[in-house]
């Protein structure tokens, strides 16, 4: 009986369906062409081999008969045919290269596109939950090169299967006993490869987190955004050491496995060589005795070699697919992630105006041990400016994420004009909101694109873009850039112009203003603005937002006090609420924070 470890390994190696399906779905036309080429490339060496045998037999017969010219008329067409077969094989190889490349790049690009679509479609939650990191990381990092390997691997496997099956049939037809001995001799080597491929696969699976950690150090060391801090704190040596330590342990693990495999591999090879030359001795003996022809001798010997080579290549291809299977499993797992913030089957139209209200809003991040929002009651009237204040970690950004429906609450509800957000299509709802998060993006694109991305479905109307820039107070600066609105921003690409933090923040504000949304949410909007710019912004704030509602998260009470209503958050709940005057009179948490800032003591942030 086959030991379970081996049968499992073989079972897994033959689970090709997943890879075949992927290639077929992405590039059916190229797959058909490649299949034809692969079959031809697998069969032509056999045809050549057979023709060579016929040539040798014909030459031997001619030599034996002593008559040259009738002999030549049988030999020369055979030589021409053999030449034709080799030529055709060469043509298939030449065509196979671009066809294989076309297939693999097409598969690779389509897989990347599927992955990108899903990366955007999955909930934010999956990016913020460590339990999904390995799946996300492997699926996203490996998508650019794994499909190429899978596609090429399948072609290699296909060709070897055809070669092997053909040569096996040929050898069995000529003398099945010798052929059987040879194939039996090849089996131990095959099993060793499959078993060790499985061992390596397990090792890689167990080391996925360490691999990711090493990649993280590499990223810290090489990505431009870390360059300043890495130099300032002189982190280079420490990070490099950690990277090398992790890589060394991964390397040693892999080396241990391939070392164990090497000598077993050698033993099985020795067995195959002994069988090959034993069989050759037998065939030679039969040839001397005259039972087999000289052509048979050549056919057998070359056939044995072809069979062994294609079998070994086949096994190498299967072993490679083990690893690729890991990617495919992760890829499928990633594609099967279901949105937990679903759109209802028949979403209600988003109310054009009305009261936005949270009642008893409770929420806990997946994996968190306590509620991050606890029974929050909050309201935003049309046209109202509301401020959220509170210590770091008190839940302000979390409340905003729920208002944007990036998450759904675990209890309580958010309603717009009496309609629960869960009855709306999340994408349609988000169109009504424009947000600048603290960690807003700085796109390495032109100035106008940085603003237009606030509403990419709108026409990039230059006048509207300039108007948004003017509202955010950045139009003057853009005008001074070398190519104005056409200037590439950031230092990532050629001729890019870097802006200061404050200027980037104004670009983000312009992007927010470009979006024709009803609610404006600014999470620490002015942290990088200078005092004058901030005063300017808020002096005209109500005009800037043009009658829209706004939620401001800020630690600066000069900004906060202009709000119509202020909510003070503490430990995931609303501790106090009211106008600036009411809250100062109350002399509670808010008043303490204001006094702390006013007396220039370290504030709560
Ligand atoms: P604030 O904006 O008031 O500074 P947040 O809303 O960002 O605070 O965070 C509130 C709490 O939720 C904090 O205790 C924080 O640690 C936790 N938290 C924030 N984001 C996550 C997350 N993705 N997963 C788990 N906990 C989180």
């Amino acid at each position: 009986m086959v030991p379970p470890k081996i049968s499992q390994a073989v079972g897994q190696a033959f689970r090709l369906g997943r890879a075949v399906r992927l290639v077929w779905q992405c590039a059916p036309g190229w797959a058909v062409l490649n299949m034809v080429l692969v079959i031809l490339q697998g069969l032509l060496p056999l045809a050549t081999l057979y023709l060579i045998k016929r040539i040798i037999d014909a030459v031997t017969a001619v030599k034996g008969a002593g008559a040259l010219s009738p002999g030549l008329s049988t030999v020369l067409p055979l030589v021409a045919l053999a030449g034709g077969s080799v030529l055709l094989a060469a043509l298939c190889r030449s065509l196979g290269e671009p066809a294989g490349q076309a297939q693999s790049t097409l598969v690779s690009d389509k897989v990347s596109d599927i992955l990108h679509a899903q990366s955007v479609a999955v909930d934010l939650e999956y990016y913020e939950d460590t339990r999904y990191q390995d799946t996300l990381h492997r699926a996203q990092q490996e998508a650019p090169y794994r499909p190429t390997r899978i596609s090429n691997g399948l072609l290699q496997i296909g060709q070897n299967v055809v070669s092997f099956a053909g040569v096996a049939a040929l050898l069995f037809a000529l003398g099945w006993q010798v052929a059987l001995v040879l194939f039996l001799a090849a089996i131990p080597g095959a099993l060793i490869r499959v078993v060790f491929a499985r061992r390596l696969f397990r090792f890689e699976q167990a080391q996925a987190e360490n691999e990711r950690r090493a990649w993280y150090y590499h990223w810290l060391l090489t990505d431009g955004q870390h360059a300043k801090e890495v130099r300032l704190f002189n982190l280079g040596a420490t990070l490099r050491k950690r990277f090398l330590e992790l890589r060394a342990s991964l390397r040693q693990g892999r080396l241990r496995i391939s070392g164990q495999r090497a000598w077993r591999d050698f033993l099985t090879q020795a067995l195959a060589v002994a069988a090959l030359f034993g069989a050759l001795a037998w065939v030679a003996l039969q040839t001397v005795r005259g039972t087999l022809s000289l052509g048979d001798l050549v056919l057998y010997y070359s056939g044995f070699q072809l069979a062994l080579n294609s079998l070994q290549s086949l096994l190498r291809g299967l072993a490679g697919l083990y690893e690729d299977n890991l990617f495919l499993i992760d890829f499928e797992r990633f594609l099967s992630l279901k949105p937990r913030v679903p759109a209802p089957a028949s979403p209600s139209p988003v109310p054009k105006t009305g009261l936005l209200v949270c009642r008893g809003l409770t929420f806990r991040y997946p994996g968190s041990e306590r509620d991050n929002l606890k029974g929050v009651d909050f309201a935003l009237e049309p046209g109202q400016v509301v401020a959220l204040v509170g210590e770091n970690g008190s839940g302000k950004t979390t409340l905003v994420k729920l208002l944007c429906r990036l998450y759904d609450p675990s209890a309580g509800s958010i309603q717009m004009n009496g309609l629960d957000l869960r009855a709306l299509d999340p994408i349609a709802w988000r169109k009504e909101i424009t947000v600048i998060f603290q960690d807003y993006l700085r796109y390495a694109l032109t100035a106008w694109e940085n603003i237009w991305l606030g509403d990419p479905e709108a026409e990039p109307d230059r006048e509207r873009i300039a108007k948004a820039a003017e509202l955010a107070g950045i139009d003057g600066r853009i005008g001074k850039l070398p190519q104005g609105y056409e200037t590439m921003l950031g230092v990532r690409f050629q001729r890019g112009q870097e802006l200061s933090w404050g200027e980037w923040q104004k670009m983000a504000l312009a992007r927010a203003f470009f979006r024709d949304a009803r609610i404006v949410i600014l999470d620490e909007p002015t942290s990088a603005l200078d005092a004058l710019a901030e005063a300017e912004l808020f002096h005209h704030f109500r005009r800037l937002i043009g009658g829209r509602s706004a939620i401001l998260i800020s630690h600066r009470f000069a900004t906060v006090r202009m709000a119509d209503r202020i909510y003070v958050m503490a430990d995931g709940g609303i501790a106090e609420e009211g106008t600036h005057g009411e809250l100062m009179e109350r002399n509670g948490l808010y008043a303490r924070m204001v006094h702390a800032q006013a007396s220039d003591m370290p504030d709560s942030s």
Side-chain angles (χ1 to χ4, degrees), residues 124-125 127-129 363-368 370-373 389-401 407 438 523-524 553 555 569 571-572:
L124 180 68
E125 174 182 337
Y127 289 90
E128 297 195 329
D129 188 337
F363 175 72
R364 177 183 298 207
Y365 283 104
S368 177
R370 58 188 182 86
D371 285 340
N372 303 94
L373 287 183
V389 297
E391 294 183 344
N392 285 332
S394 56
K396 303 179 295 293
T397 303
T398 307
L399 175 58
V400 169
K401 286 187 200 164
Y407 289 92
Q438 278 162 294
D523 190 347
E524 298 261 19
I553 299 181
H555 289 294
M569 292 196 72
D571 196 22

Side-chain angles (χ1 to χ4, degrees), residues 316-330:
R316 258 199 305 278
L318 288 178
L321 266 191
Y322 265 125
E323 243 191 84
D324 300 328
N325 235 8
L326 177 66
F327 162 74
L328 285 179
I329 292 167
D330 282 328

Side-chain angles (χ1 to χ4, degrees), residues 153-172:
L154 283 177
L155 290 179
Q156 189 200 347
I157 289 172
Q159 188 177 329
N160 287 311
V161 164
V162 174
S163 273
F164 182 69
V167 80
L170 198 67
L171 292 181
F172 266 76

